[in-house]
């Protein structure tokens, strides 16, 4: 994912994950897809996840930001929030994503901000607002994740 060092994690998150042996910026990134789309995570906590994505390279044939690109950004940000909510002994998987596209964007950078709507023991729901460089809303999204014990992931494989 390029420059992970630009992700800001609150100290309590760094302390919580310190003994996990995991690289937080790599774990809480958009993975290979996000790398191809140049998604950058700039801030990450259970209460707020912020990331950016360039429009260039993520457009549909008409030259507008592809709706699927907005969906990738939204799911990435909401999933990171849900994972941080779950903590090091749990994992989160998106099960429902809803995106409403409000306006087209042809250039620049879009910014997504994910904030929790619900954070429970087995599920987490995040609202994600994606805006253009003028602060105009491009997309509103909602992501629901299931939150499970990490041991369940090992058994599912």
């Amino acid at each position: 994912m390029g420059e992970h060092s630009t992700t800001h994690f609150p100290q309590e998150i760094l302390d919580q994950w310190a003994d996990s042996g995991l690289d937080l910026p790599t774990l809480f990134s958009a993975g290979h897809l996000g790398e191809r789309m140049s998604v950058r995570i700039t801030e990450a906590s259970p209460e707020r996840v912020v990331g950016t994505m360039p429009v260039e390279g993520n457009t549909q044939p008409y030259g507008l930001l592809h709706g699927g690109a907005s969906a990738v950004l939204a799911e990435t940000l909401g999933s990171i929030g849900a994972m941080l909510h779950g903590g090091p002994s749990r994992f989160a998987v998106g099960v429902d994503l809803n995106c409403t596209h409000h306006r087209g964007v042809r250039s620049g950078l879009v910014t997504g901000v994910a904030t929790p709507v619900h954070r429970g023991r087995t599920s987490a729901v995040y609202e994600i607002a994606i805006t253009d460089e003028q602060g105009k809303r491009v997309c509103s999204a909602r992501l629901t994740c299931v939150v499970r014990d990490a041991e369940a992931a090992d058994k599912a494989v």
Side-chain angles (χ1 to χ4, degrees):
M1 270 280 319
E3 298 180 28
H4 296 297
S5 61
T6 60
T7 304
H8 171 73
F9 291 96
Q11 189 60 48
E12 61 267 16
I13 296 297
L14 295 173
D15 294 344
Q16 182 183 19
W17 289 78
D19 295 332
S20 70
L22 300 170
D23 175 34
L24 281 184
T26 299
L27 180 63
F28 299 118
S29 71
H32 296 293
L33 178 59
E35 185 175 322
R36 279 186 234 125
M37 298 176 72
S38 299
V39 171
R40 300 286 178 253
I41 308 304
T42 59
E43 179 183 333
S45 74
E47 294 79 24
R48 178 179 159 95
V49 182
V50 180
T52 62
M53 180 179 66
V55 173
E56 184 178 353
N58 295 312
T59 58
Q60 37 87 312
Y62 299 114
L64 298 171
L65 177 64
H66 195 291
S70 293
V72 167
L73 179 59
E75 183 149 359
T76 298
L77 299 176
S79 292
I80 290 170
M83 286 290 293
L84 289 169
H85 162 65
S89 64
R90 309 199 79 207
F91 72 100
V93 177
V95 294
D96 182 64
L97 176 65
N98 173 291
C99 297
T100 301
H101 306 287
H102 305 293
R103 68 177 60 249
V105 181
R106 292 188 179 278
S107 64
L109 199 66
V110 292
T111 300
V113 179
T115 53
V117 174
H118 166 77
R119 290 185 296 165
R121 188 177 57 79
T122 61
S123 68
V125 179
Y126 279 78
E127 177 183 55
I128 304 94
I130 300 174
T131 57
D132 64 15
E133 291 179 315
Q134 289 73 45
K136 294 180 180 175
R137 191 169 295 217
V138 173
C139 176
S140 296
R142 186 193 69 245
L143 175 69
T144 301
C145 291
V146 295
V147 180
R148 301 275 192 244
D149 291 333
E151 295 170 356
D154 295 335
K155 293 176 185 174
V157 175

